[in-house]
Amino acid sequence: MLWLAWASLRRRAGSFAGSFLVLFFGATMVMSFASMLDTSRGTGVDATSVETLTTMGGVVGGWGMCLVVFAVVSTLGLSVRQRAAETALLKSAGATPAQITRMIVGEAALVSVAAAVLAVGPSYLLGRALLGLLTDTGQVGAGTAFAFGTIALLVGFGITVLSAVIGALWTARHATGRSVAASLADADPGRMTWKRLVPAGVLLTGGLYLGVLTVTAFRDKGTDAMPIAAQASILTSMGLAILAPGLVRAATALTGRVLRGRGVSGYLTVQHLRQRTSQAAGALMPIIVFTGIGTGVLYLQLIEDRAVAASGQLRSVEHQSIQTLNLVVIGMIVVFACIMLINTLVASTTYRRGEFGRLRLAGATPRQVLGMVRTESLLIVATGTVLGTLAGSVTVLPYSVVRADRWIPDLPLWILLGIITIAVTATLGAALGTARRMLRTPAVDSVAL
């Protein structure tokens, strides 16, 4: 089926652009941090530099790898769901589920290899910049030579291709398991199954456990509690993100009566969210991850900075290293989550070209269609930022007890407001900008495409 995968890629190159973009940036991120491990194995590198480079490559690179796998599975899932009608036609023509699965996996493998190859150059440059940052802050010896070798390439290619294949297998099983009639109906209510509930339960339990561990076993450990507390918000955010379809349905149920009272746009919003829950869930996931990890780690670092200042101690090399590590993590998450969010919204909104055309032929005005998209986006971003803030609190509240001896920390709101502003701007900008482009096409032509 590899020839069929290649033919599908050539025919539908535009639909794979989003998956390629996520894989490309993911491979760049993973390879650049993995190059720190190559650098640590160089000759003449002192023990302190080796420890810093290993921590940067292992800890940050490891969590970056988890985010890449998470993002790829979500993005490929959206791509496969958007091809439900094509999958149904292949099944009607006699293709077996195994053949369709091999085609989808083949497509993902080809795209991931191309993304990893093109990411080598940017990864090299980003790795050099990262080493320069560590050198300038005194965490790595000035004479340390940058190396980009076997570890970076093996980790980068391995994680990129493996995550793409896993994501393809996961989504292909869902696509081939639906009936032809259900696929052609183009409706996906996003039912919660054990495949989501079990991993989400494990991640949420792990996040809450680390939060409790922070205020118990690590209460008197000072900065040693930082890694434990930081991981709590990461696990909790990812756990809530996996539950995104169920959370979309819950948010729709809570606000349905209010939305229907807003006229045509509100009514259309409720109908879309109920029938195509999985599409909305794809946008909700990166918002939860971005908000949860962003607020958790940024406020964690602020609490630590205030604790150090209150103690009258000078900033040690270790403290500087931790701060740099946290800021790098946040920067990585901000960029990657925004790319994932914008990519998801552009792809899902573009796919709705036919839906917009049918609504206009049924009497809806372009303004009403844009109102529907705006209302959907605001509901999703509000749900995501609230849940993300709750996930971040699993890190912030326990660490505040450890370092400030108080459950409710005295922290500025501007950090949280800044994170919410970025999420709202990215969501509305991507969704409304794409919808306006789709509405420039005549309604009859949109339905025919």
PDB file of all heavy atoms in Angstrom, residues 85 99 359 397 416:
ATOM      1  N   ALA A  85     -14.967  10.695   4.576  1.00  0.00           N
ATOM      2  CA  ALA A  85     -15.716  10.339   3.373  1.00  0.00           C
ATOM      3  C   ALA A  85     -14.844   9.524   2.410  1.00  0.00           C
ATOM      4  O   ALA A  85     -15.300   8.542   1.808  1.00  0.00           O
ATOM      5  CB  ALA A  85     -16.231  11.594   2.685  1.00  0.00           C
ATOM      6  N   GLN A  99      -5.779  -2.643   4.880  1.00  0.00           N
ATOM      7  CA  GLN A  99      -5.200  -1.897   3.757  1.00  0.00           C
ATOM      8  C   GLN A  99      -5.290  -0.391   3.989  1.00  0.00           C
ATOM      9  O   GLN A  99      -4.346   0.350   3.703  1.00  0.00           O
ATOM     10  CB  GLN A  99      -5.922  -2.286   2.469  1.00  0.00           C
ATOM     11  CG  GLN A  99      -5.617  -3.701   1.994  1.00  0.00           C
ATOM     12  CD  GLN A  99      -6.462  -4.109   0.806  1.00  0.00           C
ATOM     13  OE1 GLN A  99      -7.626  -3.703   0.683  1.00  0.00           O
ATOM     14  NE2 GLN A  99      -5.896  -4.932  -0.075  1.00  0.00           N
ATOM     15  N   LEU A 359     -24.770  26.431   4.720  1.00  0.00           N
ATOM     16  CA  LEU A 359     -25.472  27.350   5.615  1.00  0.00           C
ATOM     17  C   LEU A 359     -25.920  28.612   4.872  1.00  0.00           C
ATOM     18  O   LEU A 359     -27.041  29.099   5.061  1.00  0.00           O
ATOM     19  CB  LEU A 359     -24.571  27.735   6.794  1.00  0.00           C
ATOM     20  CG  LEU A 359     -24.306  26.642   7.837  1.00  0.00           C
ATOM     21  CD1 LEU A 359     -23.268  27.113   8.850  1.00  0.00           C
ATOM     22  CD2 LEU A 359     -25.602  26.273   8.553  1.00  0.00           C
ATOM     23  N   LEU A 397       0.087  26.086  43.872  1.00  0.00           N
ATOM     24  CA  LEU A 397      -0.333  26.056  45.275  1.00  0.00           C
ATOM     25  C   LEU A 397       0.597  25.223  46.154  1.00  0.00           C
ATOM     26  O   LEU A 397       1.033  25.695  47.215  1.00  0.00           O
ATOM     27  CB  LEU A 397      -1.777  25.551  45.373  1.00  0.00           C
ATOM     28  CG  LEU A 397      -2.834  26.390  44.632  1.00  0.00           C
ATOM     29  CD1 LEU A 397      -4.223  25.830  44.890  1.00  0.00           C
ATOM     30  CD2 LEU A 397      -2.757  27.847  45.056  1.00  0.00           C
ATOM     31  N   LEU A 416      -0.898  35.595  34.198  1.00  0.00           N
ATOM     32  CA  LEU A 416      -2.054  34.814  33.754  1.00  0.00           C
ATOM     33  C   LEU A 416      -2.811  35.536  32.653  1.00  0.00           C
ATOM     34  O   LEU A 416      -3.211  34.925  31.646  1.00  0.00           O
ATOM     35  CB  LEU A 416      -2.984  34.547  34.940  1.00  0.00           C
ATOM     36  CG  LEU A 416      -4.288  33.810  34.626  1.00  0.00           C
ATOM     37  CD1 LEU A 416      -4.003  32.437  34.028  1.00  0.00           C
ATOM     38  CD2 LEU A 416      -5.137  33.679  35.886  1.00  0.00           C
TER      39      LEU A 416
END
